[in-house]
């Protein structure tokens, strides 16, 4: 989900409670804070020698001992608005950083209106070879078929 879509949902549902569900199905405690909003740019070279770049909007979540704290959609929309000059674009994909057993980053995969507020569901990130054709790694599509010319058949 990109930042523009996310902001639109927050603004259309003022003062809604926010709930964050991790890939495991567990929830981030309801008294979480958004302690940072960042524009993260990653410039890298893949194993095939291609230079690449990716940019995201990263929301860092933190859980403190103030259990009465509750972040609403209006407050988060205000925080994102303050970050707009830094973010430079609303076309950025949104990711969430949260420390469970380790600090992890999750893509925001779905935002759903529920009777108790707005449910933010985060997905998992995975490593991958971006130069399979140059590394000789067969490419298999999601349906189990081989990509043309991939050599996996």
């Amino acid at each position: 989900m990109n930042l523009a879509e996310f902001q639109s949902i927050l603004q259309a549902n003022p003062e809604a409670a926010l709930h964050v569900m991790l890939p495991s199905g567990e929830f981030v405690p309801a008294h979480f804070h958004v302690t940072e909003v960042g524009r993260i740019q990653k410039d890298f070279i893949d194993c095939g020698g291609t230079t690449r770049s990716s940019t995201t909007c990263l929301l860092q979540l933190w859980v403190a001992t103030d259990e009465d704290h509750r972040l609403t959609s209006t407050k988060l929309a205000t925080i994102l608005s303050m970050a707009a000059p830094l973010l430079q674009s609303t076309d950025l994909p949104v990711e969430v950083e949260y420390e469970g057993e380790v600090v992890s980053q999750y893509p925001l995969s779905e935002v759903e209106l529920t009777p108790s507020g707005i449910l933010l569901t985060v997905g998992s990130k995975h490593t991958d070879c971006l130069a399979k054709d140059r590394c000789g790694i067969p490419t298999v599509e999601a349906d189990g078929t081989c990509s043309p010319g991939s050599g996996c058949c």
Side-chain angles (χ1 to χ4, degrees):
M1 168 166 288
N2 74 22
L3 183 57
E5 296 165 329
F6 184 48
Q7 286 178 304
S8 177
I9 292 168
L10 295 175
Q11 293 165 355
N13 298 280
E15 297 304 322
L18 300 173
H19 310 281
V20 180
M21 186 167 62
L22 300 170
S24 65
E26 295 179 62
F27 286 87
V28 172
H31 57 282
F32 71 90
H33 294 251
V34 171
T35 56
E36 295 178 9
V37 175
R39 180 181 190 275
I40 307 299
Q41 183 167 324
K42 178 181 169 184
D43 298 313
F44 58 101
I45 190 165
D46 69 25
C47 59
T50 302
T51 301
R52 299 178 186 265
S53 182
S54 67
T55 307
T56 60
C57 168
L58 185 66
L59 309 178
Q60 183 185 77
L61 307 187
W62 178 67
V63 178
T65 57
D66 60 335
E67 294 190 12
D68 294 330
H69 177 271
R70 296 294 184 271
L71 182 66
T72 66
S73 57
T74 301
K75 179 67 176 173
L76 183 52
T78 300
I79 293 168
L80 293 173
S81 178
M82 289 187 300
L86 175 78
L87 296 172
Q88 304 174 17
S89 172
T90 58
D91 195 34
L92 301 174
V94 178
E95 293 190 351
V96 171
E97 182 176 75
Y98 176 68
E99 182 179 2
E101 291 182 28
V102 296
V103 176
S104 299
Q105 291 180 357
Y106 307 96
L108 181 58
S109 59
E110 185 178 354
V111 178
E112 176 184 356
L113 297 176
T114 70
S116 64
I118 299 173
L119 174 61
L120 312 177
T121 302
V122 297
S124 297
K125 291 175 81 170
H126 301 281
T127 60
D128 193 8
C129 176
L130 301 177
K132 290 181 180 79
D133 58 332
R134 297 196 65 192
C135 294
I137 299 171
T139 305
V140 179
E141 301 297 328
D143 65 1
T145 62
C146 296
S147 293
S150 70
C152 63
C153 300

